[in-house]
Amino acid sequence: RTRSWATSGEARTGPAAVGDQSLGIFPLDAGAVVAVDLLRGTQDGPAVAWRTVVGGVLNRPPLVTADSVYAAGDGAGVARLDLRTGDVR
């Protein structure tokens, strides 16, 4: 089954999927990183696990490790986020 939703910003790159947690990590043009639960969304919208603004234009796929998300883009440097909460580390 395929689902699609509108975002609050343009996504310039694809998401990074996270194995067992079934999260899609999306970098948005507006400098935000959004984690979406890929199993719980409805036709009304995605189940957003967290959203964190890190700044810059995030135009590269995030790197996801066992406990962190690394997001980078033009003018943003690199931000390290907690995979579970989205808090900046």
Side-chain angles (χ1 to χ4, degrees), residues 6-76:
T7 64
S8 61
E10 182 179 338
R12 291 191 178 233
T13 185
V18 181
D20 294 344
Q21 296 184 17
S22 300
L23 290 177
I25 310 295
F26 294 85
L28 300 180
D29 221 13
V33 180
V34 178
V36 176
D37 184 322
L38 299 174
L39 300 177
R40 294 186 330 158
T42 68
Q43 65 185 22
D44 295 327
V48 175
W50 51 260
R51 181 180 191 275
T52 302
V53 176
V54 297
V57 176
L58 303 180
N59 54 8
R60 294 172 181 84
L63 172 67
V64 179
T65 65
D67 63 353
S68 298
V69 175
Y70 295 87
D74 294 345

